[in-house]
Amino acid sequence: MKERILYMKRRIIRLFTSALLTGTMVMTMGGMSALADTEGAISSIELKKVVTTDGNTYAPNTTFEFKIEQGNGEGSTSIGGQTFLVQPGVEGGLVLDQANQFSFSPVQMNQIADSYTADGKINVDIDKFTAPGVYHYTVREVEPELDQKYDGILYDNKVRNVYVFIQNKEAGTGLECNYVKIVKEGEDSKSDLTFTNNYGQGEGDNDTTHDVTITKSVTGNQGDKGRAFTFTAEIKSSNEGEFYKVVLEKKDGSNTETIDHMESGKSETFTLKDGESMHIYGLTQGDTYTVSEEDYSKDGYITTIDGKQIAAENGKVTKVGNVKVDGETIKVENNKTVSTPTGLALSFGPYALMVGLAGVFGALFLRKKRDEE
């Protein structure tokens, strides 16, 4: 009899505990509905990729990848003053939309801007969930191996913790996602799935894209400052398919002309007069420039680049190098100096002097003769 009474007590306790847990879950999920930012069921989450620049650099020619993983489900998260236990994400519950376009191209984005953006989304596959709860996922950008990284790009390597709230539908059967909370690694405040990569915006370590200016000066007493000297320039990029902004700056900055773009691996021909320059933007450390001027030695010019006289090869005077800082300058000078032709005066000077003296003596002799008469 005692054993039966004890059994009944234990059964009542279990039923009460079960009812209490069930009630708590119902009340909790009802609270989750009140916290939803978006009316109705959530079927997708916005995923955005942004690349920032210095405003003088074309979009990179690359593709960015993302990875979704099931979270560890440890601990809890709080929303609106309520605390929820979390569990690992259900496999396949969040999937990248096949239409996501995270490829950037200077051709497709044929304009220069402070930033470039590609939009995509992550779909919520509600059919993969079998019970209400708060499910934890992580979303991160896949950072390439060192030898595969795009030169000049600083990747966003912070993980985003994504908490997906799944509840019973208010009407009918089945489940729905009614709230998503996103928190960036190392932060507490709510965030979003915007991943920003730096491509030369800022200073110090963030300044990964640079510019170079080719300046022209004509000197010497016979230098023709109004003459247009012909150049070619080429950038060999460590990244394939890059474009570079090019600006021709006229003398005294009175006029400038922007070339649409200089494509990596293709030479650009241009002319510069004394006091003019060519400005190239968007180079990274792995880029190699080749700047050549036609050989004008047959016209009496001596060409120096950055103060050094360079012998012509294949009809051109050339410099090859890399740009590692902003504001680098390549100074090209053409000097034509001719000695003053003083030899003629030295050769005929004595004879002219003798003729002059003879004239003086002749005048004196004639004057004396007149006086005697």
Side-chain angles (χ1 to χ4, degrees):
M1 186 67 179
K2 291 182 178 181
E3 292 179 357
R4 182 172 179 79
I5 294 173
L6 183 60
Y7 170 77
M8 293 298 295
K9 287 182 178 181
R10 288 176 178 173
R11 187 175 180 183
I12 292 172
I13 292 173
R14 283 199 298 268
L15 290 172
F16 177 78
T17 302
S18 177
L20 180 63
L21 290 174
T22 302
T24 301
M25 176 62 74
V26 171
M27 292 176 62
T28 300
M29 300 313 293
M32 287 165 55
S33 296
L35 293 171
D37 290 340
T38 305
E39 294 183 2
I42 298 174
S43 60
S44 64
I45 310 167
E46 182 178 298
L47 176 61
K48 187 183 295 288
K49 161 55 64 179
V50 178
V51 176
T52 58
T53 75
D54 58 4
N56 288 306
T57 303
Y58 278 93
N61 188 43
T62 189
T63 300
F64 299 96
E65 297 181 4
F66 293 89
K67 188 173 184 179
I68 301 173
E69 295 178 308
Q70 297 167 247
N72 53 32
E74 297 177 356
S76 61
T77 186
S78 61
I79 295 292
Q82 300 182 59
T83 300
F84 303 94
L85 295 177
V86 300
Q87 52 187 305
V90 174
E91 184 176 357
L94 294 186
V95 291
L96 282 168
D97 192 291
Q98 296 298 318
N100 285 343
Q101 296 295 324
F102 297 111
S103 294
F104 288 73
S105 168
V107 176
Q108 294 174 355
M109 304 174 181
N110 192 19
Q111 59 180 351
I112 296 175
D114 293 331
S115 65
Y116 305 94
T117 302
D119 295 312
K121 62 182 179 178
I122 294 175
N123 291 326
V124 179
D125 188 350
I126 196 65
D127 293 335
K128 293 294 191 296
F129 298 92
T130 58
V134 180
Y135 296 88
H136 178 211
Y137 294 87
T138 60
V139 179
R140 64 182 178 88
E141 180 178 349
V142 178
E143 185 169 351
E145 297 294 329
L146 185 61
D147 60 343
Q148 298 296 319
K149 287 185 177 182
Y150 196 88
D151 191 25
I153 290 286
L154 299 179
Y155 292 83
D156 187 340
N157 55 16
K158 282 197 172 184
V159 172
R160 272 56 164 186
N161 292 293
V162 180
Y163 301 95
V164 179
F165 289 65
I166 303 297
Q167 69 172 14
N168 293 313
K169 290 182 178 180
E170 292 184 3
T173 59
L175 302 171
E176 66 180 4
C177 171
N178 76 312
Y179 189 79
V180 175
K181 177 184 177 181
I182 302 168
V183 180
K184 186 183 294 186
E185 179 184 14
E187 299 181 6
D188 295 325
S189 59
K190 185 179 177 182
S191 183
D192 57 21
L193 291 181
T194 298
F195 289 79
T196 302
N197 288 15
N198 194 321
Y199 189 42
Q201 183 188 57
E203 300 177 353
D205 293 338
N206 290 331
D207 187 11
T208 57
T209 59
H210 309 296
D211 61 305
V212 60
T213 303
I214 305 162
T215 65
K216 180 65 182 175
S217 62
V218 180
T219 59
N221 58 12
Q222 290 294 305
D224 185 354
K225 295 182 180 293
R227 181 173 182 174
F229 294 82
T230 301
F231 287 79
T232 57
E234 180 181 343
I235 307 296
K236 290 185 178 179
S237 174
S238 54
N239 306 311
E240 294 184 1
E242 284 201 331
F243 285 5
Y244 304 90
K245 175 184 175 181
V246 179
V247 176
L248 294 178
E249 299 173 348
K250 302 301 182 181
K251 195 168 185 177
D252 301 327
S254 58
N255 186 29
T256 60
E257 177 186 356
T258 301
I259 299 175
D260 286 342
H261 63 264
M262 176 187 288
E263 188 173 353
S264 172
K266 295 183 179 180
S267 62
E268 190 80 37
T269 301
F270 58 99
T271 60
L272 293 177
K273 298 178 182 179
D274 175 69
E276 298 180 346
S277 61
M278 179 180 180
H279 206 149
I280 308 174
Y281 298 87
L283 288 83
T284 56
Q285 289 193 25
D287 296 343
T288 301
Y289 66 77
T290 301
V291 176
S292 300
E293 184 189 55
E294 297 293 327
D295 179 19
Y296 290 94
S297 60
K298 63 182 181 300
D299 297 332
Y301 286 94
I302 297 175
T303 301
T304 59
I305 300 180
D306 294 335
K308 297 180 180 180
Q309 185 174 345
I310 300 176
E313 294 183 8
N314 300 319
K316 296 179 182 293
V317 179
T318 301
K319 181 178 180 180
V320 179
N322 301 89
V323 180
K324 297 183 179 180
V325 295
D326 280 340
E328 186 165 321
T329 302
I330 302 172
K331 299 178 180 179
V332 181
E333 178 183 349
N334 290 74
N335 181 279
K336 184 177 182 180
T337 302
V338 179
S339 300
T340 303
T342 57
L344 183 63
L346 293 175
S347 300
F348 293 92
Y351 298 101
L353 180 61
M354 291 175 64
V355 172
L357 288 174
V360 172
F361 284 124
L364 291 174
F365 176 76
L366 292 174
R367 180 179 179 182
K368 183 177 181 182
K369 185 174 182 180
R370 286 197 300 269
D371 289 344
E372 290 175 354
E373 293 175 352

